[in-house]
């Protein structure tokens, strides 16, 4: 089960700023959903291998050839803020990396 | 246009009874007429549609042969990238996103000169079962506008049901094509995982996502799948297989085709199923038998564990996929003093409630100390569910069950309790977990006149059998000919 402190921690891990109201809501709702998951413990899976993809595919390889995207300008322009050929972001280094 | 099938419209074009521009204008007129009630489209691309239609007419005038999809109005779920045309995923975070590239499926439809009339509404990032999670509008069910169309591809389902386009594309991660098809009384198909390229489809649950067709008939669905299926080097999960002409399998009975073994999934007829759904699906199974199918009960004891397993796996994958919305390369940005604050405030304002909930759920399930208990456990359960299907398909060719345990519900009925919404996907989810193809076809109406869907499930890459079974049933019944009055 998940408590409010954990909800806050998870929100931080997910880079989501949540309000006190959301904190409360998510705690209740996630607990109800996690409670529903408990039925999975009825199944013995000790010797069962996990399925990671729906259809098993062996390694898919292709030749590593360079294919430049034809419209670099469009990619740069799609950014909220840019400077020349670069994406511009606010200051990265802060004292609070929590 | 409203009633036309692809083949009928194609014949009219070839015979020069109607032009592609006329057909497109009829679709646009229908959109204008019903959209104030239905709200299926997030954007209508009228100019582009008429331009494409004109090119088709020019070809016809020049005496050139045209393909089946040329000039056919089609709707595209707004989570498939269309170059130069906004692709929002019904999310504020992508509200102004204009993709600089085209998804493989829409490129294939462009190459086939299908006429895209617009981008359809969905639950934000395809997360939901009612299309109520769209950040922009709530789509109505054409059979009763106070009810939801299902989801997440509710816009595509409603648009096809309301005659706003002939066919449409949707995506299906846990039932997002089949469930809205069922609730809107149309055909909806999720192909085998990997059959259709997902390049340019905004990712949700990458081990589950698959694109597929919506149509008013099984034949139209087969024609559309013909156009979009096939290997694509740009999608690493794309299957390198020969794509047959799916319309070849549309045969009216099973006697002439060596019979058909149908398995009823016993566990799907338990509690929680509407009486009207049970009745209609049982009747449909009797109809399959009358057509020459050999029917037996098949037990899939782990089927019901699909739902809890899915709601661990899909949010986990989503939490990783949606990490890309960082306000750096595209999408909206909330200005902040430093980078981390920019991330957290952008994501807080850009994502809706359900998306946040799933990101939280997935982040928690993948976090240190919980990974084994949730994500790994769910993946192991996934193996057991696959094993149940493998055993079933050793005995039968196709499995049947209801698509949805209930018919369309009232808008707002389930929005406050997320778990009650999740439970609606009980019948469709195990099919995604196993990567199997599934189709929902109309099989009746409840006492309130709301459509009921029959789900047929095939083994890996056995779309041929699915189309055969679905077509034979459809041809023996009249359900697919019913249309909403839209009054």
């Amino acid at each position: 089960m998940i408590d409010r402190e954990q909800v806050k921690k998870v929100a931080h891990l997910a880079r989501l700023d949540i309000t006190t109201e959301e904190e409360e809501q998510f705690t209740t709702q996630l607990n109800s959903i996690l409670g529903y998951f408990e039925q999975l413990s009825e199944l013995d899976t000790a010797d069962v291998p996990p399925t990671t993809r729906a259809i098993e595919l062996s390694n898919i390889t292709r030749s590593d050839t360079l294919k430049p995207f034809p419209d670099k300008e469009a990619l740069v322009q799609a950014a909220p803020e840019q400077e020349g050929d670069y994406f511009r972001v606010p200051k990265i280094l802060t004292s609070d990396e929590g | 246009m409203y009633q036309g099938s692809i083949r009928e419209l194609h014949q009219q074009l070839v015979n020069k009874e109607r032009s592609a521009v006329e057909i497109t204008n009829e679709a646009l007129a229908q959109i204008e007429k019903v959209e104030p009630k239905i709200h299926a489209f997030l954007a209508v691309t009228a100019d582009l549609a008429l331009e494409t239609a004109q090119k088709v007419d020019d070809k016809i005038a020049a005496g050139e042969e045209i393909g089946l999809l040329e000039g056919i109005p089609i709707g595209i779920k707004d989570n498939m990238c269309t170059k130069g045309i906004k692709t929002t995923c019904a999310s504020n975070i992508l509200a102004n996103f204009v993709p600089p590239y085209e998804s493989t499926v829409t490129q294939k439809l462009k190459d086939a000169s299908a006429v895209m009339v617009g981008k359809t509404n969905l639950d934000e990032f395809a997360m939901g079962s009612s299309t109520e999670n769209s950040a922009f509008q709530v789509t109505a069910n054409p059979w009763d506008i106070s009810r939801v169309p299902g989801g997440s591809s509710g816009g595509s389902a409603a648009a096809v049901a309301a005659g706003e386009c002939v066919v449409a594309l949707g995506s299906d991660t846990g039932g997002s094509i089949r469930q809205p098809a069922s609730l809107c009384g149309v055909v909806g198909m999720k192909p085998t995982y990997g059959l259709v390229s997902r390049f340019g489809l905004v990712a949700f649950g990458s081990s589950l996502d698959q694109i597929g067709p919506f149509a008013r008939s099984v034949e139209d669905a087969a024609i559309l799948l013909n156009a979009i299926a096939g290997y694509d080097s740009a999608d690493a999960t794309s299957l390198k297989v020969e794509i047959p002409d799916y319309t070849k399998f549309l045969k009216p009975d099973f006697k002439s085709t060596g019979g058909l073994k149908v398995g009823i999934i016993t566990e799907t007829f338990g509690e929680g199923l509407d009486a009207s759904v049970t009745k209609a699906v049982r009747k449909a199974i009797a109809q399959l038998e009358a057509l020459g199918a050999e029917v037996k009960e098949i037990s899939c004891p782990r089927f019901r564990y699909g739902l809890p397993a899915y709601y661990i796996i899909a949010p986990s994958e989503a939490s990783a996929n949606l990490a890309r919305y960082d306000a750096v390369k595209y999408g909206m940005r909330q200005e902040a003093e430093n980078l981390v604050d920019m991330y957290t405030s952008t994501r807080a304002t850009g994502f809706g409630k359900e998306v946040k909930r799933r990101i939280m759920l997935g982040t928690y399930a993948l976090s240190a100390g919980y990974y084994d208990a949730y994500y790994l456990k769910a993946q192991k359960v996934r193996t057991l569910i696959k094993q149940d299907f493998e055993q079933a398909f050793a005995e039968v060719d196709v499995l049947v069950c209801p698509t949805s345990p209930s018919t369309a519900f009232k808008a707002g009925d389930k929005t406050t309790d997320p778990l009650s919404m999740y439970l609606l996907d009980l019948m469709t989810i195990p099919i995604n977990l196993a990567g199997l193809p599934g189709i929902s076809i109309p099989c009746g109406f409840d006492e309130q006149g709301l459509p009921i869907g029959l789900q047929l499930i095939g083994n890996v890459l056995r779309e041929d059998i699915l189309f055969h079974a679905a077509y034979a049933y459809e041809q023996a019944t009249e359900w697919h000919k019913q249309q909403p009055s839209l009054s």
Side-chain angles (χ1 to χ4, degrees):
Chain A
M1 292 293 101
I2 188 166
D3 59 30
R4 265 177 93 149
E5 271 318 299
Q6 282 172 300
V7 165
K8 264 165 105 167
K9 195 182 147 212
V10 171
H12 178 72
L13 287 173
R15 296 290 184 258
L16 280 173
D17 202 1
I18 58 171
T19 62
T20 333
E21 191 202 342
E22 279 177 320
E23 223 175 86
E24 207 170 300
Q25 249 182 25
F26 284 147
T27 308
T28 315
Q29 290 171 344
L30 294 182
N31 268 320
S32 132
I33 297 164
L34 293 171
Y36 181 74
F37 292 164
E38 271 174 18
Q39 60 183 288
L40 291 177
S41 62
E42 294 162 16
L43 295 173
D44 179 8
T45 52
D47 301 316
V48 180
T51 293
T52 53
R53 52 181 66 81
I55 308 287
E56 273 313 315
L57 291 170
S58 52
N59 285 337
I60 308 292
T61 57
R62 58 171 169 77
S63 57
D64 187 18
T65 42
L66 188 66
K67 273 194 274 176
F69 188 74
D71 193 0
K72 188 175 82 176
E73 190 56 25
L75 291 179
V76 177
Q77 284 310 314
E81 199 183 352
Q82 55 287 111
E83 194 177 304
D85 279 351
Y86 298 92
F87 299 131
R88 204 182 151 83
V89 294
K91 199 166 60 168
I92 292 176
L93 295 172
T94 66
S95 52
D96 174 27
E97 271 293 281
Chain B
M1 138 70 203
Y2 182 49
Q3 306 204 353
S5 72
I6 292 177
R7 225 173 262 283
E8 282 160 10
L9 291 167
H10 175 72
Q11 209 49 54
Q12 290 167 2
L13 286 171
V14 171
N15 297 345
K16 300 185 181 170
E17 289 162 35
R18 277 155 113 187
S19 69
V21 167
E22 278 167 4
I23 291 171
T24 300
N25 273 323
E26 281 174 51
L28 294 171
Q30 179 72 1
I31 288 172
E32 199 166 315
K33 188 177 142 204
V34 305
E35 269 305 283
K37 286 184 207 165
I38 305 297
H39 309 288
F41 285 92
L42 289 173
V44 177
T45 49
D47 292 347
L48 179 75
L50 288 166
E51 202 180 295
T52 312
Q54 185 57 55
K55 281 185 193 150
V56 175
D57 284 338
D58 293 346
K59 259 179 99 173
I60 296 167
E64 284 177 52
E65 261 191 41
I66 57 160
L68 273 176
L69 279 175
E70 292 201 46
I72 303 297
I74 180 167
I76 306 290
K77 187 178 184 180
D78 204 24
N79 61 350
M80 298 174 209
C81 286
T82 40
K83 188 177 175 182
I85 297 164
K86 259 204 269 186
T87 299
T88 68
C89 272
S91 178
N92 279 319
I93 214 160
L94 288 176
N96 294 307
F97 174 60
V98 179
Y101 71 104
E102 191 79 36
S103 70
T104 297
V105 282
T106 51
Q107 185 61 51
K108 283 186 171 204
L109 292 173
K110 268 186 155 182
D111 294 345
S113 297
V115 175
M116 182 177 85
V117 290
K119 303 290 297 279
T120 59
N121 197 22
L122 62 150
D123 284 299
E124 184 178 0
F125 284 102
M127 296 177 190
S129 311
S130 70
T131 313
E132 290 168 290
N133 294 333
S134 166
F136 308 124
Q137 65 195 34
V138 174
T139 299
N141 190 311
W143 294 88
D144 176 349
I145 58 167
S146 69
R147 292 172 190 272
V148 302
S152 66
S153 314
S156 287
V160 169
E164 297 176 83
C165 49
V166 178
V167 285
L169 286 188
S171 64
D172 190 316
T173 305
S176 282
I177 292 174
R178 292 158 289 153
Q179 187 257 15
S182 173
L183 269 49
C184 289
V186 297
V187 176
M189 188 202 212
K190 181 202 93 75
T192 300
Y193 180 79
L195 189 76
V196 178
S197 167
R198 303 177 303 178
F199 177 73
L201 170 72
V202 177
F204 163 15
S206 299
S207 78
L208 305 155
D209 298 338
Q210 183 59 201
I211 293 171
F214 280 98
R216 291 194 293 267
S217 70
V218 174
E219 185 186 33
D220 284 359
I223 292 170
L224 185 51
L225 186 61
N226 273 348
I228 58 171
Y231 175 72
D232 179 12
S233 61
D235 177 354
T237 59
S238 180
L239 296 173
K240 261 188 189 160
V241 291
E242 198 72 37
I243 305 298
D245 173 1
Y246 293 110
T247 62
K248 275 195 324 202
F249 309 114
L250 307 176
K251 302 275 165 55
D253 65 64
F254 311 123
K255 288 158 196 154
S256 57
T257 53
L260 182 82
K261 288 184 189 155
V262 174
I264 307 168
I265 306 176
T266 310
E267 288 80 3
T268 59
F269 286 89
E271 54 178 310
L273 203 59
D274 280 5
S276 57
V277 173
T278 309
K279 205 173 135 199
V281 173
R282 288 281 180 198
K283 220 176 138 196
I285 293 165
Q287 180 73 55
L288 289 171
E289 214 165 1
L291 289 163
E294 190 187 309
V295 177
K296 64 195 256 184
E297 294 266 338
I298 291 271
S299 174
C300 292
R302 275 82 61 103
F303 192 89
R304 70 182 179 93
Y305 294 100
L307 192 77
Y310 173 91
Y311 276 99
I312 294 171
I313 292 169
S316 295
E317 294 181 4
S319 73
N321 272 326
L322 271 61
R324 75 191 62 184
Y325 301 101
D326 58 3
V328 173
K329 302 176 291 300
Y330 50 84
M332 76 170 251
R333 172 185 289 186
Q334 284 290 113
E335 295 300 338
E337 286 296 304
N338 64 65
L339 194 68
V340 174
D341 287 351
M342 181 189 85
Y343 292 154
T344 55
S345 63
T346 299
R347 291 161 65 81
T349 38
F351 291 138
K353 277 254 165 7
E354 181 60 25
V355 173
K356 285 186 200 170
R357 195 151 41 231
R358 295 207 195 182
I359 290 174
M360 292 287 292
L361 196 53
T363 306
Y364 178 70
L366 292 176
S367 64
Y370 298 99
Y371 180 88
D372 285 4
Y374 292 110
Y375 192 64
L376 188 63
K377 178 78 184 182
Q379 285 185 314
K380 289 179 167 193
V381 171
R382 191 173 183 179
T383 305
L384 297 175
I385 290 163
K386 276 184 86 168
Q387 286 171 357
D388 278 0
F389 281 121
E390 278 160 19
Q391 279 165 20
F393 284 117
E395 291 183 52
V396 296
D397 303 311
V398 65
L399 291 166
V400 293
C401 67
T403 307
S404 169
S406 57
T407 52
F409 52 94
K410 296 264 186 195
D413 260 11
K414 295 184 193 283
T415 38
T416 48
D417 180 7
L419 190 55
S420 72
M421 189 78 90
Y422 297 172
L423 291 171
L424 296 172
D425 304 336
L426 187 69
M427 309 284 185
T428 47
I429 272 173
I431 288 79
N432 297 76
L433 290 173
L436 305 172
I439 190 168
S440 179
I441 52 174
C443 74
F445 293 88
D446 69 5
E447 53 286 345
Q448 295 167 93
L450 301 167
I452 298 168
L454 171 74
Q455 183 175 224
L456 300 167
I457 304 156
N459 206 348
V460 173
L461 291 172
R462 293 319 299 265
E463 279 79 6
D464 57 338
I465 297 179
L466 272 195
F467 277 125
H468 176 30
Y471 182 79
Y473 174 78
E474 177 192 74
Q475 293 304 301
T477 57
E478 297 282 318
W479 308 118
H480 65 292
K481 294 181 182 161
Q482 311 276 327
Q483 287 171 342
S485 63
L486 292 163
S487 57

